[in-house]
mmCIF file of all heavy atoms in Angstrom:
data_model
loop_
_atom_site.group_PDB
_atom_site.id
_atom_site.type_symbol
_atom_site.label_atom_id
_atom_site.label_comp_id
_atom_site.label_asym_id
_atom_site.label_seq_id
_atom_site.Cartn_x
_atom_site.Cartn_y
_atom_site.Cartn_z
ATOM 1 N N LYS A 95 1.221 -20.406 -5.888
ATOM 2 C CA LYS A 95 2.203 -20.439 -7.085
ATOM 3 C C LYS A 95 3.668 -20.471 -6.567
ATOM 4 O O LYS A 95 4.456 -21.244 -7.023
ATOM 5 C CB LYS A 95 2.004 -19.227 -7.979
ATOM 6 C CG LYS A 95 2.881 -19.215 -9.220
ATOM 7 C CD LYS A 95 2.487 -18.029 -10.100
ATOM 8 C CE LYS A 95 3.436 -18.088 -11.287
ATOM 9 N NZ LYS A 95 3.143 -17.046 -12.238
ATOM 10 N N TYR A 96 3.937 -19.672 -5.517
ATOM 11 C CA TYR A 96 5.278 -19.625 -5.032
ATOM 12 C C TYR A 96 5.685 -20.947 -4.490
ATOM 13 O O TYR A 96 6.781 -21.433 -4.746
ATOM 14 C CB TYR A 96 5.376 -18.551 -3.946
ATOM 15 C CG TYR A 96 6.710 -18.315 -3.321
ATOM 16 C CD1 TYR A 96 7.695 -17.562 -3.719
ATOM 17 C CD2 TYR A 96 7.036 -19.001 -2.078
ATOM 18 C CE1 TYR A 96 8.891 -17.417 -3.179
ATOM 19 C CE2 TYR A 96 8.269 -18.899 -1.480
ATOM 20 C CZ TYR A 96 9.101 -18.011 -2.006
ATOM 21 O OH TYR A 96 10.349 -17.928 -1.417
ATOM 22 N N ILE A 97 4.816 -21.605 -3.716
ATOM 23 C CA ILE A 97 5.177 -22.872 -3.115
ATOM 24 C C ILE A 97 5.366 -23.975 -4.125
ATOM 25 O O ILE A 97 6.242 -24.830 -3.978
ATOM 26 C CB ILE A 97 4.144 -23.176 -2.056
ATOM 27 C CG1 ILE A 97 4.350 -22.334 -0.816
ATOM 28 C CG2 ILE A 97 4.228 -24.732 -1.623
ATOM 29 C CD1 ILE A 97 3.270 -22.343 0.293
ATOM 30 N N VAL A 98 4.538 -23.919 -5.200
ATOM 31 C CA VAL A 98 4.776 -24.908 -6.310
ATOM 32 C C VAL A 98 6.032 -24.745 -6.954
ATOM 33 O O VAL A 98 6.747 -25.744 -7.246
ATOM 34 C CB VAL A 98 3.548 -24.715 -7.338
ATOM 35 C CG1 VAL A 98 3.947 -25.505 -8.608
ATOM 36 C CG2 VAL A 98 2.251 -25.222 -6.716
ATOM 37 N N LEU A 99 6.479 -23.481 -7.020
ATOM 38 C CA LEU A 99 7.878 -23.134 -7.736
ATOM 39 C C LEU A 99 8.936 -23.704 -6.755
ATOM 40 O O LEU A 99 9.959 -24.200 -7.328
ATOM 41 C CB LEU A 99 8.045 -21.618 -7.909
ATOM 42 C CG LEU A 99 7.249 -21.091 -9.164
ATOM 43 C CD1 LEU A 99 7.445 -19.545 -9.112
ATOM 44 C CD2 LEU A 99 7.769 -21.625 -10.425
ATOM 45 N N LEU A 100 8.810 -23.598 -5.428
ATOM 46 C CA LEU A 100 9.742 -24.134 -4.508
ATOM 47 C C LEU A 100 9.859 -25.602 -4.548
ATOM 48 O O LEU A 100 11.007 -26.081 -4.431
ATOM 49 C CB LEU A 100 9.436 -23.633 -3.111
ATOM 50 C CG LEU A 100 9.756 -22.238 -2.804
ATOM 51 C CD1 LEU A 100 9.320 -21.997 -1.286
ATOM 52 C CD2 LEU A 100 11.191 -21.898 -2.790
ATOM 53 N N LYS A 101 8.828 -26.254 -4.635
ATOM 54 C CA LYS A 101 8.785 -27.744 -4.533
ATOM 55 C C LYS A 101 9.292 -28.344 -3.303
ATOM 56 O O LYS A 101 9.705 -29.505 -3.197
ATOM 57 C CB LYS A 101 9.442 -28.348 -5.787
ATOM 58 C CG LYS A 101 8.756 -27.977 -6.999
ATOM 59 C CD LYS A 101 9.500 -28.711 -8.198
ATOM 60 C CE LYS A 101 8.818 -28.389 -9.447
ATOM 61 N NZ LYS A 101 9.290 -27.304 -10.265
ATOM 62 N N SER A 102 9.414 -27.537 -2.192
ATOM 63 C CA SER A 102 9.901 -28.026 -0.909
ATOM 64 C C SER A 102 9.512 -26.869 0.056
ATOM 65 O O SER A 102 9.062 -25.820 -0.212
ATOM 66 C CB SER A 102 11.350 -28.202 -0.903
ATOM 67 O OG SER A 102 12.121 -27.084 -0.874
ATOM 68 N N ALA A 103 9.916 -27.155 1.375
ATOM 69 C CA ALA A 103 9.672 -26.125 2.431
ATOM 70 C C ALA A 103 11.005 -25.303 2.712
ATOM 71 O O ALA A 103 11.233 -24.991 3.862
ATOM 72 C CB ALA A 103 9.142 -26.750 3.708
ATOM 73 N N SER A 104 11.793 -25.213 1.630
ATOM 74 C CA SER A 104 13.071 -24.531 1.852
ATOM 75 C C SER A 104 12.783 -23.030 2.200
ATOM 76 O O SER A 104 13.741 -22.397 2.737
ATOM 77 C CB SER A 104 13.908 -24.588 0.559
ATOM 78 O OG SER A 104 13.253 -24.041 -0.410
ATOM 79 N N HIS A 105 11.633 -22.626 2.121
ATOM 80 C CA HIS A 105 11.311 -21.201 2.510
ATOM 81 C C HIS A 105 10.110 -21.335 3.398
ATOM 82 O O HIS A 105 9.000 -21.077 3.026
ATOM 83 C CB HIS A 105 11.074 -20.298 1.336
ATOM 84 C CG HIS A 105 11.132 -18.874 1.743
ATOM 85 N ND1 HIS A 105 10.016 -18.199 2.166
ATOM 86 C CD2 HIS A 105 12.182 -17.997 1.772
ATOM 87 C CE1 HIS A 105 10.417 -16.968 2.471
ATOM 88 N NE2 HIS A 105 11.711 -16.853 2.169
ATOM 89 N N ALA A 106 10.291 -21.692 4.644
ATOM 90 C CA ALA A 106 9.227 -21.942 5.557
ATOM 91 C C ALA A 106 8.233 -20.743 5.726
ATOM 92 O O ALA A 106 7.050 -20.877 5.887
ATOM 93 C CB ALA A 106 9.734 -22.416 6.929
#
Side-chain angles (χ1 to χ4, degrees):
K95 181 176 183 178
Y96 180 86
I97 288 172
V98 166
L99 286 172
L100 280 179
K101 297 182 176 95
S102 76
S104 60
H105 197 274

